[in-house]
Amino acid sequence: MTRRRLRPPAWTASLTWKAAAFITVMCCALAALLGVLVHVSVTDQTVGQARDRALSLLDDAARRYESGSRLPPGAGVDPPQLPTALHELAARGERGTMIGDHDASPTMWAAGPASGGRALAVRIDYAQGARTIDGLDNAILGSSVLAIGATLLVGAFAVTRVTRRLHTTARVARKISAGDLDARVGDPRTKDPARHQDEVAAVAAALDSMAASLQGRILTEQRFTADVAHELRTPLTGLHAAAELLPPGRPTELVRDRVAALRTLTEDLLEISRLDARSERVDLDETWLEPVVERVVRFAGAETAVTVVSDVCVVTDRRRLERVLGNLVANAHRHGGPPVELAVDGPVITVRDHGAGYPDYLVEHGPQRFRTEGGARGHGLGLTIALGQAEVLGARLRFTNARDGGAVATLTLPYEEPAVWPG
């Protein structure tokens, strides 16, 4: 039988909870230590004073007993409520004191030897001393609770301020990881050079510096890619025109094919550069999805099965939508296996093939430019462009693998149900 390991609730992992628990434990331990020390000190003092009084009365009672005088009030020989242990001590010829009861009231007893193996004992009222110690214990307990509560509130407030700043830093880090390179923590402690920085401010400053450096490098690479692609367009146009003038033959076909591939790569790089720069502008219009997918399938040239479960009219950029679907269908034919299926179910469009499926890195992290696996041809730009154009449209594009094999790309377009259906 397998035993499941019990795990504490998720909220116990919070730094605030751990700090509060630590402060509470330390306050309780300190309060208990101080309380014990004060209790012992006051008890020893109170008991000592009562013992001295009892022994003094015992000395006076012993002198009167020896002289045959009348014993003082509270003194007697072998009183019935004298504690047994103290009676035995006096019977052995020794003196001693003990706190006991007399008529259900706290009493300090003192006893010494008397003639005939009896015990001469005196008692004094110890109720006031007992009340003093009880009151002290209650005061210690109450003040400890108040001190622990106040310390816990102050400590939790201080820790919460720190954890709030840590949460802000973590949230900005997640934004940067998601691609928002403009996100910054902006901790006010990092903006004043004369102000001392704590560890959280140092982490925030390091994160902001890293984000700024990363943003600068990415922008430099984007400008370089855009500049290279732009500079290649003119010579490639001339090279394409020259290739068209070559005499027919196998070498000419190879040259024209390579020139066309290079032109396509250059245009893809320019498109990616515009997407990275977020300079694309959408031209929105009402568009029915069935005519769009039929046009994409006709343009693809390869056999693609189209299934329309329900057609809807969405407000989108038709040209960019065709670009996204065209890249998905082309990728399915180029890298997947037949049959390739395209299905429309409301604002959700699915492109599926029956090949080996997407690589693991693509499913987990999305398409990456200039990365392919398994000896596949291409530059990995088609799916990157499809994802970028989908983001421009405000759509969501997910890449998964079917359980029975094959890659599945799901495009979900923004859509609102019309208040009144036409017709």
Side-chain angles (χ1 to χ4, degrees):
M1 180 178 180
T2 304
R3 293 184 178 180
R4 296 186 62 182
R5 184 178 179 181
L6 297 178
R7 294 184 178 181
W11 58 268
T12 59
S14 170
L15 182 61
T16 303
W17 183 89
K18 293 179 179 178
F22 175 77
I23 293 173
T24 302
V25 171
M26 294 303 297
C27 287
C28 290
L30 183 60
L33 177 61
L34 293 178
V36 169
L37 292 177
V38 173
H39 173 83
V40 171
S41 177
V42 174
T43 301
D44 288 345
Q45 183 179 1
T46 304
V47 173
Q49 292 175 353
R51 181 182 293 111
D52 292 340
R53 288 175 53 201
L55 291 175
S56 178
L57 290 176
L58 180 62
D59 291 337
D60 182 54
R63 287 192 296 270
R64 294 189 181 191
Y65 178 76
E66 292 175 356
S67 63
S69 302
R70 185 178 179 180
L71 297 178
V77 178
D78 291 339
Q81 296 185 357
L82 179 67
T84 303
L86 192 57
H87 187 280
E88 294 175 352
L89 182 68
R92 292 197 302 267
E94 300 178 7
R95 297 200 314 168
T97 59
M98 179 180 292
I99 297 176
D101 292 326
H102 181 266
D103 295 335
S105 177
T107 303
M108 173 63 74
W109 291 91
S115 60
R118 293 179 296 175
L120 176 63
V122 297
R123 66 178 186 275
I124 62 174
D125 185 18
Y126 188 68
Q128 181 61 37
R131 286 193 296 268
T132 300
I133 295 176
D134 291 340
L136 176 65
D137 291 341
N138 293 331
I140 292 175
L141 180 60
S143 60
S144 298
V145 172
L146 291 177
I148 292 173
T151 305
L152 184 59
L153 289 177
V154 174
F157 174 75
V159 173
T160 301
R161 292 188 62 186
V162 174
T163 55
R164 187 183 301 117
R165 294 166 59 198
L166 289 174
H167 284 311
T168 301
T169 304
R171 184 170 60 252
V172 172
R174 287 191 290 268
K175 288 183 179 180
I176 296 173
S177 177
D180 184 6
L181 299 181
D182 293 324
R184 297 291 186 274
V185 179
D187 195 313
R189 293 169 179 77
T190 63
K191 299 179 181 180
D192 187 1
R195 189 174 183 180
H196 294 292
Q197 295 185 7
D198 58 8
E199 289 78 1
V200 180
V203 173
L207 180 63
D208 288 348
S209 177
M210 181 199 69
S213 176
L214 180 62
Q215 186 179 35
R217 292 185 179 182
I218 291 178
L219 291 177
T220 300
E221 293 178 359
Q222 290 176 355
R223 285 195 297 268
F224 174 77
T225 303
D227 292 342
V228 170
H230 186 270
E231 292 298 326
L232 285 175
R233 294 185 72 180
T234 301
L236 281 175
T237 302
L239 186 60
H240 178 73
E244 294 297 328
L245 300 177
L246 294 176
R250 181 59 180 169
T252 299
E253 293 178 1
L254 292 176
V255 171
R256 291 176 179 175
D257 179 68
R258 293 299 88 197
V259 170
L262 192 56
R263 289 188 65 184
T264 301
L265 174 60
T266 303
E267 295 298 330
D268 287 346
L269 289 175
L270 285 173
E271 186 172 357
I272 288 178
S273 299
R274 292 192 298 269
L275 291 172
D276 289 339
R278 302 182 185 277
S279 60
E280 297 282 39
R281 297 293 180 268
V282 293
D283 183 14
L284 299 179
D285 194 8
E286 294 183 352
T287 303
W288 288 92
L289 295 181
E290 184 174 2
V292 173
V293 299
E294 291 178 351
R295 175 181 171 84
V296 169
V297 169
R298 286 197 306 269
F299 183 79
E303 183 177 354
T304 305
V306 177
T307 302
V308 179
V309 178
S310 64
D311 190 15
V312 294
C313 182
V314 299
V315 178
T316 188
D317 189 324
R318 182 189 181 100
R319 180 182 63 84
R320 297 184 189 279
L321 178 58
E322 291 180 354
R323 175 68 161 156
V324 173
L325 296 179
N327 282 13
L328 295 178
V329 172
N331 182 84
H333 283 290
R334 184 179 299 115
H335 302 293
V340 175
E341 302 172 350
L342 193 155
V344 178
D345 188 1
V348 180
I349 305 176
T350 304
V351 178
R352 176 187 176 180
D353 63 63
H354 291 75
Y358 291 121
D360 292 337
Y361 79 88
L362 194 149
V363 174
E364 294 177 3
H365 306 291
Q368 300 178 18
R369 60 195 70 175
F370 296 106
R371 178 175 179 180
T372 57
E373 291 188 358
R377 297 180 58 189
H379 305 283
L381 300 181
L383 295 182
T384 303
I385 292 174
L387 182 61
Q389 293 290 5
E391 292 177 353
V392 173
L393 294 175
R396 181 185 179 190
L397 180 58
R398 295 189 305 113
F399 300 96
T400 57
N401 288 323
R403 293 184 177 180
D404 55 347
V408 181
T410 305
L411 178 67
T412 304
L413 295 167
Y415 175 71
E416 294 183 2
E417 292 283 349
V420 179
W421 287 95

